[in-house]
Amino acid sequence: MGERQGLGDSGEPRDGQGLPDAATGRGRPAAAVFDALGAEYERAFAASAAHRESLERLLADLAPGSRVLDMGCGTGRPTAQTLAAAGHRVLGVDVSPVMTALAARQVETAEFRCADVRELPLLESEFDAVCVYFSLLQMERGEQRELLERLVRSLRPGGLLVAATVPVDAAGVDAVFMGQPVRVSSFGAEEFTALITRAGVAVEWEHSALFTPDHPAGAPEPHLFLHGRRH
């Protein structure tokens, strides 16, 4: 699964969890982390049934030929690939050049752009749906709030926001993820849901699941999926 995932089930670093051994020093920039992981990341998260269920629900709600932004698209699978195969017009954006190159090869019917989404120009009401699958975790909390507000404004009224995160209370925690030093921030489930609501989205569906990445360091971690519509 190309999208960004992986923290843990508490804000405390621990062996073998998504917030594993505390790292010494600052985490690497997201681009460097996911450049290093590449296709290994996709393999580790490919079996997420909850992510597939979320995509199926999104497909059921989308009008034919919808314009969709896949923010933090990773390798393009499963999100961009699933949406493009259903005939939707997909723009995938990722800060990792390795990931976007993989995505362009794997999903030829979607468009991919290597960019920091925090600096990406977004027009008002230009998308029918925006997907944010686990792609906020290496941003500071304030950056996450600001970006979610911008992403919601880029939706047409009634447009769909799909957001997923690892719902833990963590602010600027240095950790090691799949062998890579990272700095992660997140919100608990209630706070993340409130964040989405304050950004201008009516939450219509939420789903929580535990998932264990297929990786030597993998251990069960909580995932939260939210679907909603822009007011």
Side-chain angles (χ1 to χ4, degrees), residues 1-129:
M1 191 168 297
E3 287 72 26
R4 302 289 184 261
Q5 299 180 206
L7 277 177
D9 57 358
S10 76
E12 295 297 322
R14 61 177 64 188
D15 291 346
Q17 296 290 335
L19 275 178
D21 306 319
T24 56
R26 299 287 296 270
R28 300 173 69 193
V33 170
F34 291 98
D35 278 351
L37 291 175
E40 180 183 6
Y41 183 90
E42 179 184 322
R43 289 191 294 270
F45 288 90
S48 173
H51 193 143
R52 299 283 180 178
E53 182 181 355
S54 172
L55 284 172
E56 289 171 6
R57 185 178 185 89
L58 175 59
L59 286 174
D61 288 340
L62 282 173
S66 289
R67 178 69 166 155
V68 185
L69 172 64
D70 181 11
M71 196 209 92
C73 63
T75 66
R77 299 196 297 209
T79 301
Q81 183 180 63
T82 300
L83 293 167
H88 300 294
R89 296 168 294 142
V90 181
L91 170 63
V93 178
D94 201 285
V95 73
S96 164
V98 169
M99 289 290 202
T100 48
L102 280 169
R105 290 198 299 269
Q106 295 186 148
V107 191
E108 295 181 354
T109 52
E111 176 189 354
F112 296 97
R113 192 177 305 170
C114 183
D116 186 332
V117 73
R118 293 169 295 186
E119 302 170 358
L120 185 72
L122 295 171
L123 301 178
E124 181 82 20
S125 303
E126 68 174 313
F127 295 108
D128 299 298

Side-chain angles (χ1 to χ4, degrees), residues 192-209:
F192 188 72
T193 302
L195 192 68
I196 298 293
T197 301
R198 287 195 297 269
V201 169
V203 175
E204 298 180 341
W205 182 76
E206 59 183 273
H207 178 67
S208 297

